[in-house]
Amino acid sequence: MTDGLRRVAPDSGLEEAVEILERDGALVVEDLADAGTLKALWDDLGPALDARDYSGDWYNGTRTRRVSSVFARTDRLTPVVTHPLFLGAARRIMQRPVHVWIGRSRTALVPTVQISGTQAIQIHQGQGKQPLHRDDALHLRRHPGPTSRVQLMLAMSDFTADNGGTLMIPGSHHWDDERPPRAEEAVPTEMRAGSGLVWLGGVYHGGGANTTDTPRTGLTIALDLGNLRQEENQYLAVPRESVLAYPEEVRRLLGYDRCPPGLGWYEMDDPYVLLADDGPGPRPAPVP
């Protein structure tokens, strides 16, 4: 498969991945999820996709099915969201110290990162190309500038140029806000099931057209800076019992954490105190 995007092995070094992301804005991590994880995700998310109607609008796709609240529907995402070339890269790129004065002391504050939006997205035959866009437009920010989002699209089925493989414009995170994206600049992501496309929020991209008779299915998870509002309200989307099915690192990523110097506190304390005394608990019932 050749699509103009750099590819790395799942055990590649973090420095290499970060260098590619900062230069190109996107890369493919081959075999990011193993076969067991992929099967478990299909078992948990497949029925919800089958039961979901098409989105029905020009942007989200009139031949596209979307299922959100993903962390409420499966407890199998830990190895995906914590993969070193996704979470590790997001931390390296976004968790950069911000220096502030507090009285006569100059202090370095390091922001947290958090899970923002999640969706399983299934593009069916006859779906056209999605308009090219930047996901960090949600943050109403100017470009170029510091990265506020790092996103993953895990291929639950093979991605090809013909079945809706995500269209990317490598390097477009370096553009200013006056330059519009052009369709001829975009390249399709081609990757086998289990691989992952990682990209920065400032990169222009969009779902591709599916001209085949087989749906293309992907699972996307966005990581944003902890001082920004989540795209998907994880506190409402993921019940407490589902949060408790995950380890502490993922619970904190879901929002049960405090971003320095003090965003997100509960009773002036770390909100994780609400979960700290609970064990993992039983596996939650699936969300319909």
Side-chain angles (χ1 to χ4, degrees):
M1 296 180 181
T2 58
D3 50 35
L5 298 176
R6 284 289 304 275
R7 299 172 179 277
V8 297
D11 57 354
S12 294
L14 180 59
E15 296 297 336
E16 178 188 6
V18 169
E19 180 182 357
I20 295 169
L21 284 170
E22 291 186 328
R23 183 190 67 225
D24 300 343
L27 62 78
V28 172
V29 181
E30 296 185 314
D31 302 320
L32 182 145
D34 62 29
T37 298
L38 204 59
K39 180 182 183 304
L41 291 174
W42 270 112
D43 289 345
D44 290 345
L45 302 176
L49 281 166
D50 291 342
R52 187 58 52 95
D53 292 334
Y54 294 127
S55 298
D57 67 79
W58 64 272
Y59 182 80
N60 289 307
T62 57
R63 295 281 296 170
T64 298
R65 292 174 175 165
R66 295 173 180 265
V67 168
S68 302
S69 304
V70 171
F71 280 83
R73 299 176 187 276
T74 181
D75 61 359
R76 312 301 180 91
L77 284 169
T78 297
V80 176
V81 72
T82 63
H83 193 284
L85 299 188
F86 177 40
L87 179 58
R91 291 195 186 283
R92 182 68 61 86
I93 291 169
M94 292 195 290
Q95 288 190 288
R96 297 184 174 178
V98 176
H99 292 87
V100 301
W101 286 98
I102 301 177
R104 297 178 63 86
S105 299
R106 192 165 188 259
T107 302
L109 302 176
V110 179
T112 58
V113 297
Q114 61 182 339
I115 293 166
S116 186
T118 69
Q119 277 194 339
I121 304 172
Q122 191 171 74
I123 297 177
H124 286 253
Q125 182 180 27
Q127 175 62 59
K129 295 178 181 178
Q130 186 184 34
L132 296 169
H133 60 281
R134 285 169 158 162
D135 280 343
D136 67 4
L138 292 165
H139 304 151
L140 302 178
R141 48 158 300 167
R142 304 296 295 173
H143 300 87
T147 297
S148 57
R149 166 171 288 196
V150 177
Q151 192 149 340
L152 168 71
M153 176 69 79
L154 175 68
M156 292 180 61
S157 64
D158 291 346
F159 277 40
T160 71
D162 296 325
N163 75 359
T166 307
L167 300 170
M168 308 293 296
I169 303 183
S172 55
H173 60 304
H174 297 300
W175 298 357
D176 63 25
D177 294 305
E178 305 307 313
R179 179 177 176 178
R182 298 192 299 270
E184 60 270 22
E185 297 174 293
V187 296
T189 302
E190 297 189 277
M191 56 184 176
R192 60 180 172 263
S195 297
L197 169 67
V198 180
W199 76 97
L200 306 186
V203 173
Y204 280 106
H205 68 285
N210 190 345
T211 60
T212 75
D213 58 4
T214 303
R216 184 233 76 179
T217 306
L219 169 65
T220 191
I221 301 172
L223 295 174
D224 287 355
L225 283 169
N227 62 318
L228 298 171
R229 179 160 186 174
Q230 293 165 319
E231 177 182 2
E232 177 185 28
N233 191 321
Q234 301 299 328
Y235 310 105
L236 299 180
V238 188
R240 189 171 186 272
E241 61 269 22
S242 297
V243 176
L244 291 173
Y246 280 97
E248 179 177 351
E249 184 174 28
V250 179
R251 296 176 188 179
R252 288 187 177 276
L253 288 172
L254 283 166
Y256 291 84
D257 202 359
R258 181 169 54 182
C259 181
L263 288 173
W265 52 262
Y266 168 77
E267 295 290 347
M268 297 296 291
D269 203 348
D270 183 344
Y272 193 77
V273 299
L274 295 173
L275 304 177
D277 293 333
D278 293 278
R283 187 177 181 192
V287 175

